[in-house]
Amino acid sequence: MRVLLVGGGGREHALALGLADDPSVEALIAAPGNPGIAALAEVRDVDANDPSAVAALAVEVAADLVVIGPEAPLVAGVADAVRAKGIAAFGPSAEAARLEGSKTFAKEIMTAAGVPTARAHTCTDAESTARALDEFGAPYVVKNDGLAAGKGVVVTEDRDAALAHAQECGRVVVEEYLAGPEVSLFVVTDGEAALPLLPAQDFKRVGDGDSGPNTGGMGAYAPLPWAPPGLVDEVMRDVVHPTLAEMRRRGTPFAGLLYVGLALTAGGPRVIEFNARFGDPETQVVLALLETPLAGLLHAAATGTLAAHPPLRWRDGAAVTVVVAADGYPASPRTGDVITGADRAGIIHAGTRRAADGALLSAGGRVLCGTATGPDLAAARDAAYALVRDVELAGSHHRTDIAAAAVEGRIAVPD
Ligand code: AMP
């Protein structure tokens, strides 16, 4: 099949690796792609957020399947525009992508579906925000209601900082703090049938020991040696299937990738958030372990035939990815610096571009990540850090504790 991959970050480079590896893929085209993806696919220029431009490109390249990576094109209706041309699209409709596009909508669906999540209030002014903060108490959790590239959430003990973030955002969701280790579970679905991928954990805070501000994600690993047995079955039963059923009941079935972000609290798993697409950087580790051909799986979800898809197969061992971020990330990343040591297997490009002379330059906050597998988590971790050590980028920084607590058996689910 001919596959058009939309997007140009680390997640899309990981998707490109999986798609290029699938023997059923005869041509892989990526738009806009990045220098890492360019080694695997024909790269085309497109405004990924313009539904008619992406649909026209899908027709032009005779795509049999369009895989849409990032959230913004989904919320803009790119999947709808592609499907309107009679081409299969992996990714939810704009209506269904509201599960990610609006935190208030996601809460509404969870309430209607009886999905366990944090209690929350949507607030639009200082007075109602202050009331909600005082109702739930510290630590305070304030979320921008719209898309914010993973950076619209403030979790703080500082009530004034919580109020200031709310004022900056305008419309926010204030919610109770959920204590417990976090899990990212990706579920491939055609709206009815649903296949969970391996649970992973990512690292949202910029600094070691979960210090500093939230980011798009600084690293990830899978699988989770500390996850309770039965976790995935429980989440499928209590979260995923009720959510999919509620979306069908509303006439806006969710087909694509449902990302369930969970906290494993003393009261059981609680949903922190839904996303409408693969998470970045968890995709890098989850797909590194997936043995089942990726294009066939995504095509089945895009064409409503997932119930007939064979069970997923996974490689033994573990995978770890470590993000290298630009100087100043996340507040104000510096771009345009030369990167060396990145042309190696396992380096996944996120925010890079090629200069006219062929030099690799930084072009975003999260620049690249070192992704490695190994027979166990400790070995995968060592291999990922070995990759990162050889990358040179002035002023760059990375966390040194990705997967460390899991390797050392220091993660416990509260009971
Ligand atoms: P979100 O964009 O909703 O995933 O939030 C980003 C990060 O903020 C999450 O990965 C959590 O680490 C943290 N967070 C969000 N909501 C909560 C909550 N209710 N309780 C504790 N931490 C939260």
Side-chain angles (χ1 to χ4, degrees):
M1 78 179 104
R2 299 176 61 81
V3 181
L4 172 62
L5 170 63
V6 177
R11 161 188 45 225
E12 288 76 32
H13 189 175
L15 285 163
L17 285 164
L19 292 167
D21 216 27
D22 182 332
S24 76
V25 174
E26 67 188 63
L28 179 61
I29 303 105
N34 67 32
I37 296 171
L40 301 160
E42 176 194 340
V43 169
R44 299 287 299 261
D45 202 20
V46 81
D47 175 357
N49 296 332
D50 179 344
S52 52
V54 175
L57 180 61
V59 171
E60 186 192 328
V61 302
D64 303 297
L65 172 67
V66 178
V67 177
I68 300 153
E71 57 274 24
L74 293 165
V75 170
V78 167
D80 307 85
V82 169
R83 283 194 274 267
K85 300 283 184 197
I87 299 172
F90 181 78
S93 67
E95 279 289 316
R98 290 177 68 214
L99 267 187
E100 170 163 4
S102 164
K103 304 260 183 205
T104 302
F105 177 74
K107 282 287 177 193
E108 229 174 86
I109 296 292
M110 285 189 254
T111 304
V115 167
T117 185
R119 288 177 300 134
H121 297 300
T122 299
C123 304
T124 49
D125 58 67
E127 200 183 313
S128 63
T129 304
R131 230 183 356 247
L133 292 175
D134 294 338
E135 176 184 337
F136 298 133
Y140 304 106
V141 181
V142 179
K143 303 184 172 189
N144 194 339
D145 186 42
L147 284 186
K151 283 162 278 185
V153 178
V154 162
V155 181
T156 177
E157 297 280 344
D158 180 343
R159 189 171 176 278
D160 290 338
L163 276 170
H165 182 61
Q167 191 167 14
E168 233 168 75
C169 296
R171 187 181 159 92
V172 293
V173 173
V174 177
E175 64 179 43
E176 82 183 297
Y177 179 78
L178 298 172
E182 289 181 36
V183 172
S184 302
L185 182 67
F186 296 172
V187 179
V188 174
T189 176
D190 60 10
E192 189 137 13
L195 288 176
L197 307 187
L198 285 182
Q201 188 172 54
D202 78 341
F203 293 76
K204 287 271 190 234
R205 301 280 186 150
V206 72
D208 282 1
D210 293 330
S211 58
N214 268 330
T215 68
M218 294 298 290
Y221 66 94
L224 309 178
W226 48 267
L231 172 68
V232 172
D233 289 345
E234 185 181 351
V235 174
M236 293 303 286
R237 184 193 66 213
D238 295 345
V239 174
V240 173
H241 284 298
T243 299
L244 295 178
E246 176 63 20
M247 294 299 283
R248 289 196 301 273
R249 195 187 66 74
R250 292 179 179 227
T252 54
F254 183 99
L257 196 291
L258 182 64
Y259 167 132
V260 187
L262 300 151
L264 305 192
T265 72
R270 299 274 181 277
V271 175
I272 288 184
E273 63 163 346
F274 285 135
N275 288 323
R277 37 76 197 177
F278 282 97
D280 191 344
E282 299 96 310
T283 302
Q284 284 82 319
V285 289
V286 172
L287 294 187
L289 296 171
L290 180 68
E291 201 167 65
T292 298
L294 182 62
L297 172 64
L298 303 187
H299 188 263
T303 53
T305 57
L306 199 60
H309 192 279
L312 300 183
R313 295 191 315 275
W314 296 96
R315 300 192 172 97
D316 291 335
V320 174
T321 192
V322 177
V323 170
V324 175
D327 188 24
Y329 179 77
S332 51
R334 188 177 79 201
T335 58
D337 288 305
V338 174
I339 307 163
T340 57
D343 287 319
R344 275 170 311 137
I347 296 291
I348 291 187
H349 292 233
T352 67
R353 69 180 174 86
R354 288 264 176 224
D357 65 359
L360 192 65
L361 302 179
S362 60
R366 292 188 295 170
V367 178
L368 50 80
C369 48
T371 305
T373 56
D376 58 28
L377 202 51
R381 179 170 194 276
D382 288 346
Y385 274 106
L387 281 167
V388 161
R389 239 188 330 268
D390 287 341
V391 172
E392 286 196 32
L393 167 61
S396 69
H397 56 99
H398 63 266
R399 281 184 64 157
T400 67
D401 63 349
I402 303 301
V407 167
E408 292 158 17
R410 287 189 279 115
I411 302 186
V413 179
D415 51 26

Short mmCIF file of all heavy atoms in Angstrom, two decimals, residues 282-335:
data_model
loop_
_atom_site.label_atom_id
_atom_site.label_comp_id
_atom_site.label_asym_id
_atom_site.label_seq_id
_atom_site.Cartn_x
_atom_site.Cartn_y
_atom_site.Cartn_z
N GLU A 282 6.37 8.64 24.04
CA GLU A 282 6.10 7.23 24.33
C GLU A 282 6.05 6.37 23.05
O GLU A 282 6.39 5.19 23.08
CB GLU A 282 4.77 7.05 25.07
CG GLU A 282 4.68 7.74 26.41
CD GLU A 282 3.99 9.08 26.28
OE1 GLU A 282 4.38 9.88 25.39
OE2 GLU A 282 3.05 9.34 27.05
N THR A 283 5.60 6.99 21.94
CA THR A 283 5.52 6.25 20.68
C THR A 283 6.87 5.63 20.32
O THR A 283 6.93 4.51 19.80
CB THR A 283 5.09 7.22 19.55
OG1 THR A 283 3.84 7.77 19.94
CG2 THR A 283 4.93 6.50 18.23
N GLN A 284 7.93 6.37 20.59
CA GLN A 284 9.26 5.90 20.22
C GLN A 284 9.56 4.56 20.89
O GLN A 284 10.16 3.68 20.28
CB GLN A 284 10.31 6.95 20.64
CG GLN A 284 10.39 8.18 19.74
CD GLN A 284 9.35 9.26 20.00
OE1 GLN A 284 8.19 8.96 20.25
NE2 GLN A 284 9.75 10.51 19.93
N VAL A 285 9.16 4.40 22.16
CA VAL A 285 9.47 3.14 22.85
C VAL A 285 8.45 2.06 22.56
O VAL A 285 8.79 0.88 22.43
CB VAL A 285 9.64 3.35 24.38
CG1 VAL A 285 10.92 4.11 24.65
CG2 VAL A 285 8.45 4.02 25.03
N VAL A 286 7.18 2.43 22.46
CA VAL A 286 6.14 1.42 22.23
C VAL A 286 6.31 0.79 20.85
O VAL A 286 6.29 -0.44 20.71
CB VAL A 286 4.73 2.04 22.40
CG1 VAL A 286 3.66 1.07 21.96
CG2 VAL A 286 4.51 2.46 23.85
N LEU A 287 6.54 1.62 19.84
CA LEU A 287 6.69 1.07 18.48
C LEU A 287 8.01 0.32 18.32
O LEU A 287 8.10 -0.60 17.50
CB LEU A 287 6.55 2.16 17.42
CG LEU A 287 5.16 2.80 17.33
CD1 LEU A 287 5.10 3.75 16.14
CD2 LEU A 287 4.04 1.76 17.26
N ALA A 288 9.02 0.66 19.11
CA ALA A 288 10.29 -0.08 19.03
C ALA A 288 10.09 -1.53 19.46
O ALA A 288 10.87 -2.40 19.09
CB ALA A 288 11.35 0.59 19.91
N LEU A 289 9.03 -1.79 20.24
CA LEU A 289 8.79 -3.15 20.74
C LEU A 289 7.70 -3.88 19.95
O LEU A 289 7.48 -5.08 20.16
CB LEU A 289 8.41 -3.09 22.23
CG LEU A 289 9.52 -2.56 23.15
CD1 LEU A 289 8.98 -2.33 24.56
CD2 LEU A 289 10.71 -3.53 23.18
N LEU A 290 6.99 -3.15 19.09
CA LEU A 290 5.88 -3.77 18.35
C LEU A 290 6.42 -4.59 17.18
O LEU A 290 7.12 -4.06 16.32
CB LEU A 290 4.93 -2.69 17.82
CG LEU A 290 3.72 -3.19 17.02
CD1 LEU A 290 2.74 -3.97 17.91
CD2 LEU A 290 2.99 -2.03 16.35
N GLU A 291 6.06 -5.86 17.16
CA GLU A 291 6.53 -6.73 16.07
C GLU A 291 5.50 -6.80 14.95
O GLU A 291 5.82 -6.95 13.78
CB GLU A 291 6.78 -8.13 16.63
CG GLU A 291 7.71 -8.97 15.81
CD GLU A 291 8.15 -10.20 16.59
OE1 GLU A 291 7.29 -11.04 16.88
OE2 GLU A 291 9.34 -10.28 16.93
N THR A 292 4.23 -6.68 15.29
CA THR A 292 3.16 -6.69 14.30
C THR A 292 3.37 -5.56 13.29
O THR A 292 3.66 -4.43 13.69
CB THR A 292 1.80 -6.46 15.01
OG1 THR A 292 1.59 -7.53 15.92
CG2 THR A 292 0.65 -6.37 14.03
N PRO A 293 3.22 -5.84 11.99
CA PRO A 293 3.42 -4.76 11.00
C PRO A 293 2.48 -3.57 11.24
O PRO A 293 1.26 -3.75 11.40
CB PRO A 293 3.11 -5.46 9.67
CG PRO A 293 3.39 -6.91 9.92
CD PRO A 293 2.99 -7.15 11.36
N LEU A 294 3.07 -2.38 11.29
CA LEU A 294 2.32 -1.19 11.73
C LEU A 294 1.28 -0.73 10.72
O LEU A 294 0.16 -0.36 11.08
CB LEU A 294 3.31 -0.06 12.04
CG LEU A 294 2.71 1.23 12.54
CD1 LEU A 294 1.99 1.03 13.87
CD2 LEU A 294 3.78 2.32 12.69
N ALA A 295 1.65 -0.72 9.44
CA ALA A 295 0.71 -0.17 8.44
C ALA A 295 -0.56 -1.01 8.38
O ALA A 295 -1.68 -0.47 8.28
CB ALA A 295 1.38 -0.11 7.07
N GLY A 296 -0.41 -2.33 8.47
CA GLY A 296 -1.57 -3.21 8.44
C GLY A 296 -2.50 -2.94 9.62
O GLY A 296 -3.74 -2.92 9.48
N LEU A 297 -1.91 -2.70 10.79
CA LEU A 297 -2.70 -2.43 11.99
C LEU A 297 -3.47 -1.11 11.84
O LEU A 297 -4.68 -1.04 12.10
CB LEU A 297 -1.76 -2.37 13.20
CG LEU A 297 -2.37 -1.92 14.52
CD1 LEU A 297 -3.44 -2.90 14.99
CD2 LEU A 297 -1.28 -1.75 15.59
N LEU A 298 -2.76 -0.07 11.41
CA LEU A 298 -3.41 1.24 11.30
C LEU A 298 -4.45 1.23 10.18
O LEU A 298 -5.51 1.89 10.29
CB LEU A 298 -2.36 2.34 11.06
CG LEU A 298 -1.25 2.44 12.13
CD1 LEU A 298 -0.38 3.67 11.87
CD2 LEU A 298 -1.80 2.47 13.55
N HIS A 299 -4.17 0.48 9.11
CA HIS A 299 -5.14 0.38 8.01
C HIS A 299 -6.42 -0.31 8.49
O HIS A 299 -7.53 0.10 8.15
CB HIS A 299 -4.52 -0.38 6.82
CG HIS A 299 -5.36 -0.36 5.59
ND1 HIS A 299 -6.21 -1.38 5.25
CD2 HIS A 299 -5.51 0.59 4.62
CE1 HIS A 299 -6.84 -1.08 4.13
NE2 HIS A 299 -6.44 0.11 3.72
N ALA A 300 -6.26 -1.35 9.31
CA ALA A 300 -7.45 -2.05 9.85
C ALA A 300 -8.30 -1.09 10.69
O ALA A 300 -9.53 -1.10 10.61
CB ALA A 300 -7.02 -3.27 10.66
N ALA A 301 -7.62 -0.26 11.50
CA ALA A 301 -8.38 0.70 12.32
C ALA A 301 -9.06 1.74 11.44
O ALA A 301 -10.18 2.19 11.73
CB ALA A 301 -7.45 1.38 13.31
N ALA A 302 -8.40 2.13 10.36
CA ALA A 302 -8.92 3.18 9.49
C ALA A 302 -10.07 2.69 8.62
O ALA A 302 -10.82 3.50 8.07
CB ALA A 302 -7.80 3.74 8.61
N THR A 303 -10.19 1.37 8.48
CA THR A 303 -11.21 0.83 7.57
C THR A 303 -12.27 0.01 8.31
O THR A 303 -13.05 -0.70 7.67
CB THR A 303 -10.55 -0.05 6.48
OG1 THR A 303 -9.72 -1.04 7.13
CG2 THR A 303 -9.69 0.78 5.54
N GLY A 304 -12.29 0.10 9.63
CA GLY A 304 -13.34 -0.57 10.39
C GLY A 304 -13.23 -2.09 10.42
O GLY A 304 -14.23 -2.78 10.59
N THR A 305 -12.01 -2.60 10.26
CA THR A 305 -11.84 -4.06 10.21
C THR A 305 -10.94 -4.58 11.34
O THR A 305 -10.36 -5.65 11.24
CB THR A 305 -11.25 -4.50 8.86
OG1 THR A 305 -9.99 -3.81 8.65
CG2 THR A 305 -12.17 -4.14 7.70
N LEU A 306 -10.86 -3.80 12.40
CA LEU A 306 -9.92 -4.16 13.47
C LEU A 306 -10.33 -5.45 14.19
O LEU A 306 -9.47 -6.17 14.70
CB LEU A 306 -9.83 -3.00 14.48
CG LEU A 306 -8.61 -3.00 15.38
CD1 LEU A 306 -7.31 -2.94 14.58
CD2 LEU A 306 -8.68 -1.84 16.36
N ALA A 307 -11.63 -5.75 14.23
CA ALA A 307 -12.08 -6.96 14.93
C ALA A 307 -11.46 -8.20 14.29
O ALA A 307 -11.27 -9.22 14.96
CB ALA A 307 -13.60 -7.04 14.90
N ALA A 308 -11.15 -8.13 12.99
CA ALA A 308 -10.59 -9.29 12.29
C ALA A 308 -9.06 -9.30 12.33
O ALA A 308 -8.43 -10.20 11.76
CB ALA A 308 -11.07 -9.28 10.83
N HIS A 309 -8.46 -8.29 12.97
CA HIS A 309 -7.00 -8.21 12.99
C HIS A 309 -6.44 -9.23 13.98
O HIS A 309 -6.98 -9.40 15.06
CB HIS A 309 -6.56 -6.80 13.39
CG HIS A 309 -5.10 -6.53 13.18
ND1 HIS A 309 -4.13 -6.94 14.07
CD2 HIS A 309 -4.44 -5.93 12.15
CE1 HIS A 309 -2.95 -6.58 13.59
NE2 HIS A 309 -3.10 -5.96 12.44
N PRO A 310 -5.33 -9.91 13.61
CA PRO A 310 -4.76 -10.88 14.56
C PRO A 310 -4.24 -10.19 15.82
O PRO A 310 -3.96 -8.98 15.79
CB PRO A 310 -3.59 -11.51 13.78
CG PRO A 310 -3.37 -10.66 12.59
CD PRO A 310 -4.60 -9.85 12.34
N PRO A 311 -4.10 -10.93 16.91
CA PRO A 311 -3.57 -10.33 18.15
C PRO A 311 -2.19 -9.73 17.91
O PRO A 311 -1.43 -10.21 17.06
CB PRO A 311 -3.46 -11.52 19.12
CG PRO A 311 -4.24 -12.63 18.52
CD PRO A 311 -4.37 -12.36 17.05
N LEU A 312 -1.86 -8.69 18.67
CA LEU A 312 -0.57 -8.02 18.48
C LEU A 312 0.57 -8.88 19.01
O LEU A 312 0.41 -9.61 19.98
CB LEU A 312 -0.58 -6.67 19.20
CG LEU A 312 -1.65 -5.69 18.73
CD1 LEU A 312 -1.53 -4.36 19.46
CD2 LEU A 312 -1.57 -5.48 17.22
N ARG A 313 1.71 -8.78 18.33
CA ARG A 313 2.91 -9.49 18.79
C ARG A 313 3.94 -8.46 19.24
O ARG A 313 4.10 -7.41 18.61
CB ARG A 313 3.51 -10.33 17.65
CG ARG A 313 2.62 -11.47 17.17
CD ARG A 313 3.42 -12.40 16.25
NE ARG A 313 4.22 -11.70 15.26
CZ ARG A 313 3.76 -11.27 14.08
NH1 ARG A 313 2.49 -11.48 13.75
NH2 ARG A 313 4.55 -10.62 13.25
N TRP A 314 4.64 -8.78 20.32
CA TRP A 314 5.62 -7.85 20.90
C TRP A 314 6.98 -8.50 20.99
O TRP A 314 7.09 -9.71 21.23
CB TRP A 314 5.16 -7.42 22.31
CG TRP A 314 3.88 -6.64 22.24
CD1 TRP A 314 2.62 -7.13 22.42
CD2 TRP A 314 3.74 -5.26 21.92
NE1 TRP A 314 1.70 -6.12 22.24
CE2 TRP A 314 2.36 -4.97 21.93
CE3 TRP A 314 4.66 -4.24 21.62
CZ2 TRP A 314 1.87 -3.69 21.65
CZ3 TRP A 314 4.16 -2.97 21.35
CH2 TRP A 314 2.78 -2.71 21.37
N ARG A 315 8.02 -7.69 20.83
CA ARG A 315 9.38 -8.18 21.03
C ARG A 315 9.64 -8.32 22.53
O ARG A 315 9.09 -7.57 23.33
CB ARG A 315 10.40 -7.18 20.45
CG ARG A 315 10.19 -6.98 18.97
CD ARG A 315 11.33 -6.23 18.30
NE ARG A 315 11.09 -6.28 16.86
CZ ARG A 315 10.51 -5.30 16.16
NH1 ARG A 315 10.17 -4.17 16.75
NH2 ARG A 315 10.28 -5.44 14.87
N ASP A 316 10.49 -9.26 22.90
CA ASP A 316 10.91 -9.37 24.30
C ASP A 316 11.77 -8.16 24.65
O ASP A 316 12.32 -7.51 23.77
CB ASP A 316 11.74 -10.64 24.50
CG ASP A 316 10.88 -11.89 24.35
OD1 ASP A 316 9.65 -11.78 24.57
OD2 ASP A 316 11.43 -12.95 24.00
N GLY A 317 11.92 -7.92 25.93
CA GLY A 317 12.83 -6.87 26.36
C GLY A 317 12.13 -5.56 26.61
O GLY A 317 10.91 -5.52 26.84
N ALA A 318 12.91 -4.49 26.57
CA ALA A 318 12.40 -3.17 26.96
C ALA A 318 12.98 -2.11 26.03
O ALA A 318 13.92 -2.38 25.29
CB ALA A 318 12.80 -2.87 28.40
N ALA A 319 12.36 -0.93 26.07
CA ALA A 319 12.85 0.19 25.26
C ALA A 319 12.84 1.46 26.11
O ALA A 319 11.96 1.65 26.97
CB ALA A 319 11.98 0.38 24.01
N VAL A 320 13.83 2.31 25.86
CA VAL A 320 13.96 3.58 26.58
C VAL A 320 14.28 4.66 25.56
O VAL A 320 15.05 4.42 24.63
CB VAL A 320 15.08 3.51 27.64
CG1 VAL A 320 15.32 4.88 28.28
CG2 VAL A 320 14.76 2.49 28.73
N THR A 321 13.69 5.83 25.74
CA THR A 321 14.07 6.98 24.91
C THR A 321 14.36 8.18 25.80
O THR A 321 13.68 8.40 26.81
CB THR A 321 12.98 7.31 23.86
OG1 THR A 321 13.53 8.25 22.91
CG2 THR A 321 11.73 7.93 24.46
N VAL A 322 15.40 8.92 25.44
CA VAL A 322 15.84 10.09 26.20
C VAL A 322 15.84 11.29 25.25
O VAL A 322 16.49 11.25 24.21
CB VAL A 322 17.26 9.88 26.76
CG1 VAL A 322 17.74 11.13 27.50
CG2 VAL A 322 17.30 8.65 27.69
N VAL A 323 15.09 12.33 25.63
CA VAL A 323 14.96 13.51 24.77
C VAL A 323 16.11 14.48 25.03
O VAL A 323 16.43 14.77 26.19
CB VAL A 323 13.61 14.22 25.02
CG1 VAL A 323 13.56 15.58 24.33
CG2 VAL A 323 12.46 13.33 24.58
N VAL A 324 16.70 14.97 23.95
CA VAL A 324 17.68 16.05 24.04
C VAL A 324 16.97 17.34 23.66
O VAL A 324 16.41 17.45 22.56
CB VAL A 324 18.87 15.79 23.10
CG1 VAL A 324 19.83 16.98 23.10
CG2 VAL A 324 19.60 14.51 23.51
N ALA A 325 16.96 18.30 24.59
CA ALA A 325 16.21 19.54 24.37
C ALA A 325 17.16 20.71 24.16
O ALA A 325 18.29 20.70 24.64
CB ALA A 325 15.31 19.81 25.58
N ALA A 326 16.64 21.70 23.47
CA ALA A 326 17.46 22.88 23.16
C ALA A 326 17.65 23.76 24.39
O ALA A 326 16.84 23.73 25.32
CB ALA A 326 16.76 23.70 22.06
N ASP A 327 18.72 24.54 24.36
CA ASP A 327 18.96 25.54 25.38
C ASP A 327 17.69 26.39 25.55
O ASP A 327 17.10 26.81 24.57
CB ASP A 327 20.12 26.44 24.90
CG ASP A 327 20.58 27.40 25.98
OD1 ASP A 327 20.35 27.10 27.17
OD2 ASP A 327 21.14 28.45 25.63
N GLY A 328 17.27 26.58 26.79
CA GLY A 328 16.11 27.45 27.04
C GLY A 328 14.77 26.74 27.02
O GLY A 328 13.75 27.34 27.37
N TYR A 329 14.72 25.47 26.58
CA TYR A 329 13.45 24.74 26.56
C TYR A 329 13.05 24.41 27.99
O TYR A 329 13.92 24.04 28.76
CB TYR A 329 13.61 23.45 25.75
CG TYR A 329 12.36 22.60 25.69
CD1 TYR A 329 11.31 22.94 24.86
CD2 TYR A 329 12.23 21.47 26.50
CE1 TYR A 329 10.15 22.18 24.82
CE2 TYR A 329 11.07 20.70 26.45
CZ TYR A 329 10.05 21.05 25.62
OH TYR A 329 8.90 20.30 25.59
N PRO A 330 11.77 24.52 28.40
CA PRO A 330 10.62 24.79 27.54
C PRO A 330 10.25 26.27 27.40
O PRO A 330 9.43 26.59 26.55
CB PRO A 330 9.49 24.06 28.28
CG PRO A 330 9.87 24.11 29.72
CD PRO A 330 11.37 24.08 29.76
N ALA A 331 10.84 27.17 28.20
CA ALA A 331 10.35 28.56 28.19
C ALA A 331 10.60 29.22 26.83
O ALA A 331 9.67 29.72 26.19
CB ALA A 331 11.04 29.35 29.30
N SER A 332 11.87 29.22 26.38
CA SER A 332 12.18 29.91 25.11
C SER A 332 13.37 29.22 24.46
O SER A 332 14.51 29.64 24.60
CB SER A 332 12.50 31.38 25.37
OG SER A 332 13.47 31.48 26.39
N PRO A 333 13.08 28.11 23.76
CA PRO A 333 14.16 27.33 23.16
C PRO A 333 14.91 28.11 22.09
O PRO A 333 14.31 28.83 21.31
CB PRO A 333 13.44 26.13 22.54
CG PRO A 333 11.99 26.49 22.48
CD PRO A 333 11.75 27.52 23.53
N ARG A 334 16.24 27.93 22.11
CA ARG A 334 17.07 28.55 21.08
C ARG A 334 17.18 27.57 19.92
O ARG A 334 17.36 26.38 20.13
CB ARG A 334 18.44 28.82 21.68
CG ARG A 334 19.35 29.64 20.80
CD ARG A 334 20.65 29.91 21.52
NE ARG A 334 21.55 28.77 21.46
CZ ARG A 334 22.55 28.57 22.31
NH1 ARG A 334 22.74 29.40 23.31
NH2 ARG A 334 23.35 27.51 22.17
N THR A 335 17.07 28.05 18.71
CA THR A 335 17.17 27.17 17.53
C THR A 335 18.33 27.63 16.65
O THR A 335 18.91 28.70 16.88
CB THR A 335 15.86 27.19 16.70
OG1 THR A 335 15.60 28.54 16.30
CG2 THR A 335 14.67 26.68 17.50
#
